[in-house]
Amino acid sequence: MDTPPTASLETSSQQHEAKPLRRRGERMRAAVLAATVRLLTEEGFDNTTVAAVAAAAGVHQTSVYRNWGTRENLIQEAVVAYTDQALPLPDTGSVEEDLHILLRSTQEFLATPEGQALLRLSVLPGTPAFTRRRDTYWADRLDRAEILVRRGIQRGELRADINPRLVIELLLSPLQIKVLVVGEPLTSDLPDELVDNVLQGVRAR
């Protein structure tokens, strides 16, 4: 947990700093979550402290602690809110089209500084509390994407005996590996190629 500012910082120079804004409710939460993602992207995980987030969002540290309790809680909610907004779940009525949209939007997301920074959080060492929240985050994101595959099974487009989680992992893993491990640029045709190849093995016949 961040340490409070020391008395030595309470100098005349502090008089020139902007006072925290009187944000409350959803406006305050939105400002804090946006500031958290911005700091994670620009300053990295270690520098995304409660004090730094509060200053960037223009709110009091006490407001952040009162609403989130810990830095880990804050970062998890910020990442979930940002990725769910950036990657809405499509529902076109076609599993093929849904998966094409999911893969294309994921690739576009991973091409942004925010997407790359948030993906790198998945391989950073951290406290047990942070690791638990990170595991929960990935499990929830995969569960959410599985909905597309389960819809396809229910509509008879995909075989009923397939593993929905494995299908999603087969589709998303190459994108993540290229960003995290290989460092290769993501080509524009990769999402469609992945979907077409994976669906050949799971499509209902």
Side-chain angles (χ1 to χ4, degrees), residues 92-133:
T92 65
S94 163
V95 67
E96 183 174 1
E97 185 61 24
D98 285 347
L99 292 175
H100 277 296
I101 293 172
L102 175 67
L103 268 287
R104 291 170 191 155
S105 60
T106 299
Q107 173 156 300
E108 291 173 0
F109 176 69
L110 292 178
T112 66
E114 293 82 4
Q116 293 179 16
L118 299 184
L119 179 60
R120 290 192 178 94
L121 287 178
S122 64
V123 295
L124 283 178
T127 64
F130 173 74
T131 301
R132 286 194 300 272
R133 284 165 175 78

Side-chain angles (χ1 to χ4, degrees), residues 182-197:
V182 183
E184 291 181 352
L186 299 175
T187 58
S188 60
D189 59 344
L190 179 59
D192 292 342
E193 187 176 358
L194 287 169
V195 172
D196 292 343
N197 278 275

